[in-house]
Amino acid sequence: MRSIQKRLAAFDAAGIRPVAISVDPPEVSRDLVQKAGYTFPILSDPDTTAIKSYDVVHAHAGENGRDIARPAEFLVDSSGTVRWINLTENYWVRARPQQILDAAKLLH
Amino acid sequence: MRTRFLTWQLWIGFLLCVIAFISYPSFFVRFPVTRDFPWANLLLYCVASAFLITGLRRVFSIEGTRRKRILGSILAIMSSLVFAFFIFVVFVFGRQLPASAHAPQVGQKAPEFTLADSNGKSVRLAELISAPLNGKAPTGVLIVFYRGYW
């Protein structure tokens, strides 16, 4: 997310709007926005409704065995169709902004 | 006089091991180049092991006392444990992720959602897709799921 924020101008230019989703309540997201300076929407899914519908639940991986989201990225086009997915196999490895921007070029 | 400083390489080696461990989650994850593969940290461990090996050779030479040999062995073992734990966290524990076999595939409709943003305002995916971005209709929306700061 930090690297996406850094390249936000490039995402803007490509017409791609990033949004982030986690189980964190809005208060925690607000903290994160202030600390990290994120300017794209940070959404809260405390009941894991959206997290479940995208099948990205990481069961019992959170605090007190709570269900949270696994890291995952979906690129959705203007018709609402999924056009690119990244489901990392290793928590420490994430999609690079350039990879996403390259995938976004196919959306035109 | 020389024996007083006999273990400095071992201390440096151990300290470097600890730094190599801590610096990954606290610093090197910020940069994709050092995050995707922790080569910077592995390099630090290499330097650490060079110090440890030199240190061990010194305390186990004729200069070393029994106390220094024990201390050296403890530092070397603790350093090895720190390294083993690092390898476990990055390469074993990091891979413990669900398969997500039923995640929406390319070509499928992205499931709609309505979620609160950081100001508590309700946001729908349909809005994110259609609301103008810099005065133009967006090309797409990038949905990033993350673990959160629990």
Side-chain angles (χ1 to χ4, degrees):
Chain A
M1 280 166 68
R2 212 183 270 123
S3 56
I4 291 170
Q5 180 66 42
K6 262 190 219 157
R7 296 290 308 275
L8 200 61
F11 280 91
D12 258 8
I16 302 296
R17 169 178 283 140
V19 289
I21 302 175
S22 81
V23 294
D24 284 347
E27 306 89 77
V28 177
S29 303
R30 208 175 308 138
D31 258 20
L32 179 67
V33 164
Q34 272 167 8
K35 263 186 233 151
Y38 295 136
T39 51
F40 53 86
I42 310 287
L43 308 180
S44 294
D45 189 14
D47 311 320
T48 67
T49 318
I51 293 168
K52 270 190 201 114
S53 65
Y54 282 78
D55 193 29
V56 289
V57 180
H58 194 169
H60 319 302
E63 202 177 27
N64 302 323
R66 178 178 181 199
D67 289 356
I68 58 168
R70 80 191 301 285
E73 293 92 20
F74 296 85
L75 190 59
V76 179
D77 70 13
S78 53
S79 74
T81 306
V82 176
R83 297 292 295 275
W84 176 88
I85 314 168
N86 180 55
L87 294 163
T88 182
E89 284 179 1
N90 187 331
Y91 168 74
W92 300 103
V93 183
R94 301 293 162 81
R96 298 196 184 184
Q98 195 53 53
Q99 248 177 296
I100 305 168
L101 289 165
D102 287 346
K105 282 180 196 150
L106 307 172
L107 263 58
H108 289 282
Chain B
M1 188 59 200
R2 275 196 71 187
T3 54
R4 247 185 93 185
F5 302 105
L6 210 55
T7 53
W8 71 268
Q9 280 115 332
L10 289 162
W11 282 109
I12 298 246
F14 175 66
L15 196 72
L16 275 174
C17 268
V18 174
I19 291 170
F21 187 90
I22 298 168
S23 62
Y24 185 60
S26 66
F27 180 71
F28 287 115
V29 289
R30 291 167 194 234
F31 316 100
V33 203
T34 48
R35 175 183 183 138
D36 288 354
F37 188 80
W39 60 268
N41 302 81
L42 293 176
L43 204 67
L44 275 172
Y45 281 115
C46 280
V47 176
S49 66
F51 274 102
L52 286 163
I53 290 165
T54 315
L56 279 177
R57 286 176 73 168
R58 284 189 73 186
V59 290
F60 281 95
S61 71
I62 40 162
E63 290 173 90
T65 58
R66 190 161 173 259
R67 259 188 65 196
K68 297 231 190 285
R69 285 177 186 166
I70 292 171
L71 176 71
S73 306
I74 291 172
L75 285 174
I77 289 167
M78 288 205 304
S79 303
S80 310
L81 288 176
V82 171
F83 177 64
F85 190 57
F86 178 79
I87 295 296
F88 175 78
V89 167
V90 176
F91 295 106
V92 182
F93 187 71
R95 292 185 148 272
Q96 308 295 309
L97 289 173
S100 300
H102 300 289
Q105 301 295 303
V106 170
Q108 287 179 356
K109 207 87 183 150
E112 177 62 275
F113 55 74
T114 307
L115 299 169
D117 69 9
S118 55
N119 297 313
K121 188 179 149 264
S122 226
V123 176
R124 282 190 312 130
L125 175 61
E127 290 165 14
L128 293 166
I129 290 173
S130 58
L133 183 65
N134 296 328
K136 282 188 289 187
T139 319
V141 169
L142 173 72
I143 308 170
V144 179
F145 288 95
Y146 69 107
R147 293 169 67 94
Y149 289 77
W150 34 276

